[in-house]
Amino acid sequence: MTEILIKNADTIVTMDDQRHELAGADILIRNGVIAEIGTALTTAGEVVLATGCVVTPGLVNTHHHLNQTLTRAVPGGQDALLFGWLQTLYPIWSKFGPEEMRVSATIGLAELALSGCTLTSDHLYLYPNGSRLDDTIEAAQDIG
């Protein structure tokens, strides 16, 4: 059994119906599930000190195109209307293969995690040059 204890958070936002916020509290996570929230909790597992931190539930992104991360700053697509944007980027995306899909997904997932997003739905609809949905799934498994 794996346990992680998030210890002494300045604020824990519970997101319950009463909008409770707990100060100086702990969260015990057991096998990936919150087992207990309170004060002075203990564990033999990993301890993460959260003094000075606000702990919130993870955010959910229901629509993302992880394969587009690598082309976000292509000059011809900047400030373009939709059709011009597509005309600029589709030729680039058509050259992507498994490695570009995996790298783009890894970067996109890292950016989402750093912003507090813990769940996303990837709307991958292009599979050029032998790329597969599994390439982005592998990126998610690698990054956690």
Side-chain angles (χ1 to χ4, degrees), residues 50-135:
T51 304
C53 297
V54 175
V55 179
T56 68
L59 302 173
V60 176
N61 177 343
T62 62
H63 187 123
H64 205 87
H65 296 274
L66 292 169
N67 66 305
Q68 296 176 5
T69 302
L70 287 179
T71 57
R72 166 181 312 137
V74 171
Q78 298 298 306
D79 300 321
L81 297 177
L82 178 60
F83 191 65
W85 180 77
L86 291 171
Q87 285 180 308
T88 300
L89 297 180
Y90 263 99
I92 297 169
W93 296 333
S94 72
K95 294 181 177 105
F96 277 19
E99 184 63 13
E100 290 81 10
M101 292 295 193
R102 194 171 9 268
V103 168
S104 191
T106 300
I107 293 167
L109 290 167
E111 291 172 344
L112 287 170
L114 288 169
S115 70
C117 181
T118 58
L119 179 68
T120 190
S121 177
D122 185 22
H123 290 261
L124 178 60
Y125 57 89
L126 296 171
Y127 299 94
N129 307 312
S131 59
R132 311 161 297 137
L133 178 61
D134 289 351
D135 300 322

Side-chain angles (χ1 to χ4, degrees), residues 40-55:
L41 301 181
T42 61
T43 183
E46 179 183 353
V47 177
V48 177
L49 297 178
T51 304
C53 297
V54 175
V55 179

Side-chain angles (χ1 to χ4, degrees), residues 6 9-16 19-22 25-27 29 34 37 50 52-60 112-119:
I6 300 173
D10 277 12
T11 304
I12 296 174
V13 180
T14 66
M15 302 298 284
D16 64 9
R19 297 178 168 247
H20 287 117
E21 292 182 7
L22 308 174
D26 310 327
I27 302 174
I29 302 167
I34 294 175
I37 298 177
C53 297
V54 175
V55 179
T56 68
L59 302 173
V60 176
L112 287 170
L114 288 169
S115 70
C117 181
T118 58
L119 179 68

